[in-house]
């Protein structure tokens, strides 16, 4: 199955996609994680990418499409994949049709107060990219990754000014993808209206919707 999990920044895409990855046995691919890895490795490209990510802007389509294409060519994607954070522009969606056409789209419907609460308390593992929240998804030991033991950090772009910019970029550049896909593919909305809904509950809703869509 080739699945897109779509939603605004802070909608929980990454958290749900990580659980779905295990349940469905197909890899989760997050372009944000790939960009953060490139930034860590310090090169000319990494400087360019960092300037976009840290200001909350989209990395240009030419770069993003190349990065995604390379990732989807890997062997682990041969039985499908879960895209989380790609596509974010119509041009990226059109490029994806040529690389590997997705089967269905799940759109996370999340009110803005939930998004702000999620992003401002989010912690991530700089080593394995696991996602936590200071209040709603706490690690077992204070600010230490359950999976690999690294010290958790706040993402540089989870600061209030940058959050605002990311949200406005979503409204302008990414939201039009909802209408684009509604016309083209099996499409399902999944509601996530409270900040403290356990991730497993939302994942069950997503799985139910996938079945309703015939997959
Ligand atoms: P979120 O969904 O919470 O914004 P991500 O980790 O998916 O977080 O993305 C972080 C940043 O990486 C984005 O703000 C953007 O700068 C960059 N990025 C990720 N995916 C894409 C994409 N498909 N196109 C352009 N830029 C992207
Ligand atoms: Zn970790």
């Amino acid at each position: 199955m080739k699945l897109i999990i779509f939603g605004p920044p802070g909608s929980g895409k990454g958290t749900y996609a990580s659980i779905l990855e295990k349940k469905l046995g197909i890899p989760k691919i997050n372009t944000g994680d790939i960009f953060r890895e490139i930034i860590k490795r310090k090169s000319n490209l990494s400087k360019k990418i960092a300037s976009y990510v840290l200001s909350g802007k989209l990395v240009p389509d030419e770069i993003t499409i190349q990065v995604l294409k390379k990732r989807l060519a890997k062997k682990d994607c041969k039985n499908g994949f879960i895209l989380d954070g790609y596509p974010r522009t119509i041009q990226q969606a059109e490029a994806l049709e040529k690389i590997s056409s997705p089967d269905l789209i799940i759109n996370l419907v999340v009110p803005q107060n939930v998004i702000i609460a999620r992003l401002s308390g989010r912690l991530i593992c700089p080593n394995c990219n696991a996602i936590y929240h200071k209040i709603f998804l706490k690690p077992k030991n204070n600010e230490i990754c359950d999976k690999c033991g690294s010290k958790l950090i706040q993402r540089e772009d989870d600061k209030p000014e940058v959050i605002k910019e990311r949200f406005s970029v979503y409204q302008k550049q990414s939201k039009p993808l909802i209408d684009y896909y509604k016309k083209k593919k099996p499409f399902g909305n999944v509601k996530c209206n409270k900040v403290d809904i356990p991730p497993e509950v939302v994942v069950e809703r997503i799985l139910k919707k996938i079945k309703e869509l015939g997959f």
Side-chain angles (χ1 to χ4, degrees):
M1 185 191 340
K2 296 187 269 184
L3 169 67
I4 295 178
I5 303 283
F6 189 79
S11 52
K13 302 184 291 293
T15 306
Y16 309 139
S18 297
I19 302 175
L20 287 165
E21 172 175 58
K22 291 183 206 106
K23 295 208 178 220
L24 300 172
I26 45 177
K28 150 191 141 151
I29 295 168
N30 172 283
T31 35
D33 284 343
I34 300 177
F35 290 143
R36 281 185 288 277
E37 290 299 325
I38 297 175
I39 292 171
K40 273 193 231 161
R41 291 199 299 266
K42 302 254 187 292
S43 63
N44 281 336
L45 180 64
S46 77
K47 267 194 223 142
K48 187 163 182 202
I49 290 177
S51 70
Y52 293 101
V53 172
L54 297 181
S55 61
K57 303 253 186 313
L58 293 185
V59 175
D61 284 341
E62 316 87 81
I63 301 178
T64 306
I65 292 165
Q66 280 317 312
V67 158
L68 181 87
K69 194 172 177 185
K70 204 167 145 202
R71 179 63 188 88
L72 291 185
K74 294 203 174 153
K75 257 203 242 125
D76 62 338
C77 297
K78 72 174 191 310
N79 295 324
F81 46 77
I82 305 165
L83 288 181
D84 149 27
Y86 185 101
R88 290 196 201 214
T89 63
I90 302 278
Q91 208 194 330
Q92 290 181 16
E94 282 170 351
L96 181 61
E97 286 304 316
K98 294 187 194 131
I99 302 168
S100 187
S101 177
D103 298 316
L104 72 162
I105 285 81
I106 296 292
N107 177 42
L108 299 172
V109 182
V110 191
Q112 196 162 0
N113 64 315
V114 171
I115 289 175
I116 292 167
R118 286 247 171 90
L119 291 177
S120 51
R122 172 157 70 182
L123 295 170
I124 64 157
C125 173
N127 179 49
C128 75
N129 300 318
I131 306 164
Y132 301 88
H133 189 282
K134 285 178 188 164
I135 302 161
F136 305 114
L137 196 62
K138 282 188 182 174
K140 291 193 189 86
N141 298 310
N142 199 21
E143 312 221 332
I144 298 293
C145 180
D146 292 348
K147 296 187 181 121
C148 77
S150 303
K151 172 98 176 72
L152 302 178
I153 56 165
Q154 183 174 40
R155 262 171 52 177
E156 295 258 14
D157 58 344
D158 279 346
K159 307 209 161 109
E161 327 77 76
V162 188
I163 291 177
K164 236 170 111 193
E165 176 63 17
R166 283 160 59 209
F167 201 70
S168 112
V169 164
Y170 169 80
Q171 298 285 350
K172 270 192 243 135
Q173 294 182 268
S174 307
K175 214 175 169 190
L177 284 166
I178 295 178
D179 280 334
Y180 173 89
Y181 278 127
K182 261 189 192 160
K183 287 186 209 136
K184 251 180 158 1
K185 307 263 170 180
F187 181 100
N189 284 318
V190 170
K191 258 199 210 151
C192 179
N193 45 352
K194 286 207 202 95
V195 71
D196 54 353
I197 304 182
E200 293 70 23
V201 174
V202 181
V203 167
E204 282 313 311
R205 290 182 194 165
I206 295 174
L207 290 169
K208 194 170 152 225
K209 191 59 87 175
I210 291 174
K211 271 211 189 107
E212 281 170 22
L213 292 172
F215 291 86

